[in-house]
Amino acid sequence: MSVSIKDIARQAGVSHSTVSRALRNSPLVNERTGDAIRRLAREMGYTPSAAARSLVTQRTRTVGLVVTALSDPFIDRIVDGIEDLATSAGYGVLLGSSHADPERELGVVEMFHQQRVDGVIVVASRVGQLYAEQLQEMSVPIVLINNEADGDYLYSVSVDDQQGARLATDHLLSLGHRRIAYIGSATRRATSLGRQSGYERGLREAGFSLDPELVYLPRAQMDIAAGREALPHVLEQEATAMFCFNDRTAIGALLQAREQGVSLPGDLSVVGFDDIEPSWYLAPPLTTIHQPRWQMGRTAMEMLLGLLDEKQATNRTMDCRLVVRGSTAPPAAK
Amino acid sequence: MSVSIKDIARQAGVSHSTVSRALRNSPLVNERTGDAIRRLAREMGYTPSAAARSLVTQRTRTVGLVVTALSDPFIDRIVDGIEDLATSAGYGVLLGSSHADPERELGVVEMFHQQRVDGVIVVASRVGQLYAEQLQEMSVPIVLINNEADGDYLYSVSVDDQQGARLATDHLLSLGHRRIAYIGSATRRATSLGRQSGYERGLREAGFSLDPELVYLPRAQMDIAAGREALPHVLEQEATAMFCFNDRTAIGALLQAREQGVSLPGDLSVVGFDDIEPSWYLAPPLTTIHQPRWQMGRTAMEMLLGLLDEKQATNRTMDCRLVVRGSTAPPAAK
DNA sequence: CTGTTAGCGCCTTCAC
DNA sequence: GTGAAGGCGCTAACAG
């Protein structure tokens, strides 16, 4: 099929090991013959076979990437960051979507195993029991990004949910808001709880008491629907501001507000989390907590590369940044 | 390292060829021993090595996927569609972003070559000269999605730009608009031209003459900036409606309109193309031409699978659908 | 410096 | 039905 080192060896009149060496620029080979071989290889259109190589080196220079779905504005940039560094480092990225379906997840992991990926990165998943177990079995390093699992036996990079939530809360507080609601997420409980606790700490440390009625956990599964669901409740509690689990939830609230004729930020200030692209071109543009997603992806890949070099890696948690836009303002004077 | 068929063979007291056969459910092996072997394999946690297998079968059950960038709301769903079918069919998907950088593209192709992918799918790229050449060299089937290249020596699935543009134009026409502008894209010329010609045909067949001044090609590279740039020009030409190359361009126009105090759709109707997620929650929600992106991804993968089975494949072009939302209305009576 | 030999894990004739 | 032998393309000792 395609040309192999043997073909080159024959042409060059040397043994295939010499070719192998020459191609890897080994100093053990005569410069002249080396050059000749490399030239020949180029001329003959030689491209090494990763499969053959990894069979003997026991490394595939390939990493597996598990995401719930790529068509998630939160995830795509992370993947971009991962892919970027991976490519630079000469690693291939094998994609696997779980769609939050356990069976699919298993299938993906199985595939990774067969492909003998050198490492795995998992983005924003719950990492189910089975799943984690299987991953353990392949005994390759695994880096989790913003994971929802409890076990901390794995490497991870995550955003500092508490710190981010503090930023949001303090911003609202400093604008003069006193009744601030928090809208959580039922599907990503761990993350939601982290943000909630940042919110609560913010209020407490500012000397305000917590009103449990101001914390709302929507029943809806989809974020936008959750935001829509939350709005009436928030209004009922006479909150003047709401901090949402993520931008999509905030967008839901925003849409609902629009429909109910509630004006933002006049009647209610809203802040989201993530800073997905649409945030800034909404009306009003969304004040939100920016997650350095691209960086997180890169960092995860960086950790993985380190782990593959036998080096140790320490978990990283990255800071968020407040992005003030049009959806927040001082409360209406009453 | 991990358990191989030899290990199983030793345990089972048979030769590794028998194990190999048993694992592939060959009828040539005694049912009892076969079962025993399969059970053993499971117990020992055996997972076949794709590398070893492909070395002999000369197929990797892996496809390469080239995208410009994943963090493109247009692309992500396509990738989802591809990945979905690929996984079901037991194929792995190797990711490669080009970032529209020729050097990166070459690198990606080289990687695919080394990995000996069985086929390649390229999404919305220009497929540069070098690039295509390299791809040819690996002599594997290549399916292009909405490509910008001229050569038609490759398989492709694309959306019917003309038909989509007709939908948009006819919609505007039927609302009573007569001065309708078209905003193109300088970076995706071929696609833009396709849509432009649909627009022109629509006008012509409705019996209206074309005003070249109503066709505007922004200089800005980024779509949103392009849309912003286009708006004043469109207004100046006293158009009552504009059809934009894509949703992002439309969004740019929308933002600019907001800033200039131009009301949509009151003063100007706008229709986009693509139907990316933010479209529907903008204010006003965007009337647009929907591309069946997930389907396109799936179809591309379907074609590729067919090609890998030696079957022939015929290029497919898919229809668009008009989605009427709030950004279009009859022109203001004057 | 270079060639020989062996083997990575698997599949596939070809004998038995 | 099953085993022995060879080879996919490459790297890695081990001799020269």
Side-chain angles (χ1 to χ4, degrees), chain B residues 4 28 60-61 76 80 123 163 187 236 243 249 288 301 306 329:
Chain B
S4 75
L28 299 169
T60 54
R61 290 191 82 77
D76 53 19
D80 258 352
V123 184
Q163 177 257 354
T187 52
E236 199 174 291
F243 165 42
T249 306
T288 189
M301 188 64 210

Side-chain angles (χ1 to χ4, degrees), chain A residues 307-327:
Chain A
L307 290 165
L308 295 178
D309 272 350
E310 319 290 306
K311 293 189 211 106
Q312 284 276 318
T314 57
N315 294 0
R316 301 225 7 202
T317 126
M318 333 253 306
D319 274 351
C320 300
R321 207 180 68 228
L322 171 70
V323 182
V324 179
R325 288 199 273 249
S327 66

Side-chain angles (χ1 to χ4, degrees), chain A residues 1-3 45 47-55 58 60-62 65 69-73 76-77 79-80 83-84 87-88 91-97 99 104 108 110-111 113-116 137 139 224 228 248 251 255 258 276-278 280-283, chain B residues 1-3 45 47-55 58 60-62 65 69-73 76-77 79-80 83-84 87-88 91-97 99 104 108 110-111 113-116 137 139 224 228 248 251 255 258 276-278 280-283:
Chain A
M1 203 74 253
S2 48
V3 351
T47 301
S49 156
R53 179 175 293 168
S54 42
L55 202 52
Q58 301 287 28
T60 54
R61 291 190 82 77
T62 279
L65 176 57
L70 273 150
S71 54
D72 183 326
D76 53 19
R77 312 218 47 151
V79 177
D80 258 352
E83 201 271 342
D84 201 64
T87 302
S88 308
Y91 274 76
V93 176
L94 261 173
L95 204 56
S97 305
H99 296 291
R104 295 267 308 197
V108 166
E110 171 66 11
M111 193 213 105
H113 198 165
Q114 294 193 184
Q115 298 288 348
R116 299 290 193 272
E137 267 187 26
S139 63
I224 293 191
R228 295 193 107 109
R248 279 186 138 144
I251 288 170
L255 293 175
R258 210 181 270 164
I276 62 179
E277 181 179 296
W280 69 264
Y281 53 66
L282 283 169
Chain B
M1 207 70 253
S2 49
V3 350
T47 303
S49 156
R53 178 174 295 170
S54 42
L55 203 51
Q58 302 286 27
T60 54
R61 290 191 82 77
T62 279
L65 175 58
L70 273 149
S71 53
D72 182 325
D76 53 19
R77 315 218 46 152
V79 177
D80 258 352
E83 200 272 342
D84 201 64
T87 302
S88 308
Y91 273 76
V93 176
L94 262 172
L95 204 55
S97 305
H99 297 291
R104 296 265 312 194
V108 166
E110 171 66 12
M111 194 215 102
H113 198 165
Q114 294 193 186
Q115 298 288 348
R116 299 292 193 272
E137 269 188 25
S139 62
I224 293 191
R228 296 192 107 109
R248 280 185 136 145
I251 289 170
L255 293 175
R258 213 181 268 164
I276 61 178
E277 182 181 294
W280 69 264
Y281 52 66
L282 283 169

Side-chain angles (χ1 to χ4, degrees), chain A residues 15-65:
Chain A
S15 76
H16 63 275
S17 14
T18 303
V19 175
S20 175
R21 285 192 273 259
L23 261 21
R24 332 195 80 249
N25 293 312
S26 161
L28 298 169
V29 57
N30 178 17
E31 200 170 324
R32 304 174 53 86
T33 45
D35 286 345
I37 289 172
R38 281 183 285 272
R39 196 165 43 70
L40 241 181
R42 213 171 310 115
E43 286 171 10
M44 300 176 66
Y46 170 78
T47 301
S49 156
R53 179 175 293 168
S54 42
L55 202 52
V56 30
T57 61
Q58 301 287 28
R59 307 191 118 219
T60 54
R61 291 190 82 77
T62 279
V63 304
L65 176 57

Side-chain angles (χ1 to χ4, degrees), chain A residues 11-187:
Chain A
Q11 281 288 324
V14 295
S15 76
H16 63 275
S17 14
T18 303
V19 175
S20 175
R21 285 192 273 259
L23 261 21
R24 332 195 80 249
N25 293 312
S26 161
L28 298 169
V29 57
N30 178 17
E31 200 170 324
R32 304 174 53 86
T33 45
D35 286 345
I37 289 172
R38 281 183 285 272
R39 196 165 43 70
L40 241 181
R42 213 171 310 115
E43 286 171 10
M44 300 176 66
Y46 170 78
T47 301
S49 156
R53 179 175 293 168
S54 42
L55 202 52
V56 30
T57 61
Q58 301 287 28
R59 307 191 118 219
T60 54
R61 291 190 82 77
T62 279
V63 304
L65 176 57
V66 191
V67 301
T68 49
L70 273 150
S71 54
D72 183 326
F74 173 77
I75 287 178
D76 53 19
R77 312 218 47 151
I78 295 183
V79 177
D80 258 352
I82 292 170
E83 201 271 342
D84 201 64
L85 182 52
T87 302
S88 308
Y91 274 76
V93 176
L94 261 173
L95 204 56
S97 305
S98 67
H99 296 291
D101 168 1
E103 200 175 323
R104 295 267 308 197
E105 285 187 341
L106 270 268
V108 166
V109 174
E110 171 66 11
M111 193 213 105
F112 287 172
H113 198 165
Q114 294 193 184
Q115 298 288 348
R116 299 290 193 272
V117 295
D118 292 336
V120 173
I121 297 182
V122 180
V123 184
S125 157
R126 289 167 316 285
V127 186
Q129 266 40 322
L130 306 159
Y131 182 6
E133 206 175 287
Q134 292 281 115
L135 279 178
Q136 291 299 286
E137 267 187 26
M138 7 187 342
S139 63
V140 297
I142 302 168
V143 177
L144 266 34
I145 300 184
N146 277 8
N147 80 304
E148 278 279 327
D150 353 72
D152 49 2
Y153 47 94
L154 302 167
Y155 301 96
S156 71
V157 10
S158 7
V159 86
D160 191 334
D161 289 312
Q162 291 222 16
Q163 177 258 353
R166 271 305 287 269
L167 252 30
T169 314
D170 290 354
H171 167 61
L172 256 13
L173 246 18
S174 78
L175 282 174
H177 291 278
R178 292 306 171 251
R179 287 195 64 75
I180 303 173
Y182 171 69
I183 312 306
S185 162
T187 51

